[in-house]
Amino acid sequence: MMASSPFDALRVRAGAGARDLPAFSVSPGWQRLFEASGGSPLAVGAGLALGLAAAFLVLDGLEGRLAAVWAGEIPFWAHVEVRSAAVCALLLAGLVVTHHREEAGITRDLERLSPHLAWNGTHPRTQLRAAIEVPRDRLRLAGVAGALVVLAIVPTLYLEPARFLRPETYRLPSVAFDLLVGAVFGWTLTRTLVAAVVQDRAFARLADRVAEIDLLDLEPLRPFARRGLRRALRWLLLVTIAVFVFLDAGFAAPPALVLAGIVAFAAFSFILPVWGIHRRIQAEKRSLLADLRGRVRAERVRACAREAGAEPGGHLADLLAYEARVAAAREWPIDTSTLVRFAIYLLIPLGSWLGAAFVERALEAALG
C-alpha cells in the first residue's frame, strides 16, 4: 500500500512492507510502558515516581533507617532518606517523561516541516529516517557507559561513602535497589543524550532540503526553533531536580562547574537544531542582497540617464525600500518570545540552586 505522503511512511509498522520504516524509539522499554498504561505521559510519570519513592521508603523502613521518623524525633519531610527517595524518584520519572514527550515532539516537528521540503530526486524516507533513527549499537554502548558512570557516582551521594568498601553493604536490599535505579538512570540518560545529539544533527541537515526561504516570513521554519527550545528545557529541568541530590549528599551548594556545564549543554542543545537553517537563511540573505544591490545600481544608472524634465518613477524607491527590509531581516528563525522563554528556562536551575540553599538553612534551623 502506498503512503499518501512521504511522512506517512514513518507511521507504518514493520511487516507492512520491506520499504516501510519501522517504528523507532530510543528507549523501547519505557515506550512499551507508556503504551501499556494507556494514560497520559504525566500520569504515567507520576505513577512511576510514586512507585519508586514507595519502594525506596519500604526498603529503608525494613532496614530500620526510618526509626527516628516513627518515634517522632524527626519530621517526616526532614528525614534525609525521605527527601532522597522523593528526589531520585522524580529525577528518573522526569527523565523518562521528558524524553517521551520529546519523541512525540520529533514527530510533530517533521510533520510541520515536511510540506516545506524539496527532495530533488532523493528518496524522502531516507532523509526523514535519518532524523529519527540512531544506530542501536551506538545506543547500547552509550547506555552501558552511562550505567557504569552513575554506578560509580552513587556511593559518593551517601553520607558515609566508605561503607561501600565493606562487602556486607552490597547485601542490603536498599543498597541493591539504589544501585539498580542508578544503573537504569545512567542507561536511560546517556542513551537519550546521545540520541538527542545524533537526531538534532540530522534534523539540522534538513535545512538543505527547505524548498524556499522567505526572509520576510520565517514562520514555516519555526519547527527548528521549537526543537531547540524543547531540548534545552529537558536538561534544565533535570538539573533543577538534581540540585537536591547534592543537597542531601551534604554539599552546601551544587558545584558551580557542574551547573555551568549543564547550562552550557542546554544552550548547545538549543542552537544545534537551528544552526543549519541559520546558515541557509544567511546564505539566502547574502544572495538576495547582492541581487538587489545590482538591480539598484542598474536602476540608478537608468534614472540618471533620463531627460531632466522626466519623472524618475518609483521603481528605484521600491528597490531601496525592499533592500532595507531584507537587510534588516533576521538570520535566525527565533523571535523575541522564543528568546524570552529560553532566558526563563535558564533561570529555572538558578532558582533551584537558591531554593536548595534556603531548604538547607530551614532544615538546620528546624533540627537545631
Side-chain angles (χ1 to χ4, degrees):
M1 182 176 66
M2 297 295 292
S4 59
S5 71
F7 192 81
D8 288 341
L10 296 171
R11 298 194 180 118
V12 181
R13 295 281 179 178
R19 291 188 172 185
D20 293 327
L21 296 179
F24 180 84
S25 176
V26 173
S27 300
W30 293 117
Q31 180 65 26
R32 284 193 288 270
L33 173 65
F34 283 102
E35 292 176 352
S37 68
S40 69
L42 289 178
V44 175
L48 176 62
L50 289 173
L52 285 173
F56 280 123
L57 294 178
V58 167
L59 292 175
D60 287 333
L62 292 175
E63 293 174 11
R65 278 194 289 277
L66 300 179
V69 174
W70 308 139
E73 299 172 3
I74 300 177
F76 185 75
W77 58 270
H79 198 285
V80 63
E81 299 292 352
V82 174
R83 297 198 311 273
S84 177
V87 171
C88 291
L90 283 174
L91 197 56
L92 180 55
L95 173 63
V96 172
V97 172
T98 54
H99 178 69
H100 178 75
R101 294 178 70 88
E102 277 192 9
E103 287 199 324
I106 291 173
T107 302
R108 293 193 299 271
D109 293 337
L110 291 175
E111 284 177 336
R112 291 175 179 136
L113 192 60
S114 187
H116 305 286
L117 302 180
W119 304 105
N120 301 325
T122 305
H123 204 293
R125 283 178 294 183
T126 302
Q127 299 293 326
L128 295 176
R129 182 174 187 166
I132 290 181
E133 296 194 357
V134 182
R136 291 291 186 187
D137 292 343
R138 187 180 302 183
L139 288 178
R140 279 192 289 269
L141 181 61
V144 170
L148 292 176
V149 168
V150 175
L151 283 175
I153 292 175
V154 167
T156 68
L157 300 177
Y158 277 70
L159 296 178
E160 298 178 13
R163 65 186 296 194
F164 283 85
L165 298 177
R166 300 189 295 269
E168 60 269 18
T169 299
Y170 298 91
R171 291 195 288 269
L172 294 173
S174 64
V175 172
F177 189 68
D178 288 348
L179 293 173
L180 173 63
V181 172
V184 171
F185 178 80
W187 170 274
T188 306
L189 176 67
T190 51
R191 284 171 69 94
T192 57
L193 189 153
V194 168
V197 174
V198 173
Q199 290 172 336
D200 287 349
R201 290 182 63 188
F203 189 77
R205 287 194 293 270
L206 290 177
D208 296 331
R209 300 288 177 182
V210 174
E212 182 181 359
I213 293 179
D214 183 354
L215 294 172
L216 304 183
D217 181 17
L218 299 182
E219 182 63 28
L221 308 179
R222 287 290 296 279
F224 291 98
R226 292 191 190 100
R227 174 75 159 259
L229 200 61
R230 195 170 56 248
R231 293 295 200 195
L233 178 60
R234 187 257 289 269
W235 300 114
L236 292 172
L237 285 175
L238 291 179
V239 75
T240 299
I241 301 173
V243 164
F244 292 92
V245 175
F246 290 100
L247 173 67
D248 280 331
F251 294 99
L257 184 61
V258 173
L259 182 62
I262 294 293
V263 171
F265 187 81
F268 170 75
S269 299
F270 177 62
I271 294 297
L272 181 58
V274 187
W275 184 251
I277 195 61
H278 161 65
R279 299 190 64 175
R280 272 292 310 275
I281 295 171
Q282 210 174 37
E284 183 73 17
K285 183 176 179 178
R286 282 197 299 264
S287 175
L288 184 53
L289 281 175
D291 177 66
L292 282 172
R293 284 163 184 166
R295 293 168 62 185
V296 166
R297 285 192 296 269
E299 184 63 22
R300 185 175 57 201
V301 170
R302 283 193 295 269
C304 292
R306 290 176 182 148
E307 295 180 2
E311 290 291 334
H315 191 48
L316 179 59
D318 292 342
L319 285 175
L320 289 172
Y322 186 37
E323 180 193 14
R325 287 286 305 277
V326 172
R330 291 179 288 117
E331 296 182 359
W332 295 86
I334 300 171
D335 56 15
T336 303
S337 65
T338 302
L339 291 176
V340 170
R341 289 174 66 185
F342 182 62
I344 293 173
Y345 293 166
L346 288 175
L347 292 175
I348 295 175
L350 178 59
S352 178
W353 191 353
L354 296 175
F358 175 78
V359 169
E360 182 191 17
R361 299 298 182 189
L363 289 175
E364 288 177 354
L367 300 177

